[in-house]
Amino acid sequence: MRVEVYIMDNKYRVRKKSVDLPDGSTIGDCLTLLEKSNCIENIHPYAVSRYGHRVKSCVVLVENDRIELSVALPSDPMIRRRLKALSNKNR
């Protein structure tokens, strides 16, 4: 099974990597393979998504899936807006 992986680095450059995995592999298996082949340093600083939707590492992959490994945002925009609204409310 072939999966396309798009990896974003800290300078927001994206590179594409094709990965061959056995049928029934999970995203966690794909990340482990990428780490062993030195395509990524470690799996912790990345936000993992499939076709733009966040997913967990236990999700089973299918043929021709597209996995995106992007740099995690320093803070969640929803939480920032919520905190800003609460601070404006208390004025």
Side-chain angles (χ1 to χ4, degrees):
M1 161 175 66
R2 180 167 287 257
V3 176
E4 300 294 325
V5 181
Y6 292 85
I7 305 165
M8 179 186 293
D9 63 13
N10 289 336
K11 296 180 181 177
Y12 300 104
R13 293 180 299 212
V14 178
R15 67 182 194 273
K16 178 182 170 183
K17 176 81 174 164
S18 295
V19 179
D20 289 319
L21 296 164
D23 289 341
S25 296
T26 63
I27 290 179
D29 299 332
C30 180
L31 295 176
T32 302
L33 181 70
L34 289 169
E35 188 174 8
K36 287 181 181 175
S37 63
N38 292 326
C39 292
I40 58 175
E41 292 80 30
N42 56 20
I43 59 174
H44 301 294
Y46 293 105
V48 182
S49 58
R50 181 171 65 177
Y51 294 108
H53 299 283
R54 294 283 303 258
V55 291
K56 295 184 179 186
S57 61
C58 62
V59 172
V60 177
L61 296 168
V62 295
E63 182 72 29
N64 296 321
D65 261 352
R66 183 183 78 206
I67 305 301
E68 298 104 11
L69 301 177
S70 58
V71 178
L73 294 174
S75 63
D76 186 4
M78 291 283 289
I79 294 173
R80 261 196 340 250
R81 284 192 291 264
R82 193 173 297 132
L83 291 173
K84 185 175 179 180
L86 284 173
S87 69
N88 287 341
K89 182 180 177 181
N90 293 332
R91 288 185 180 188

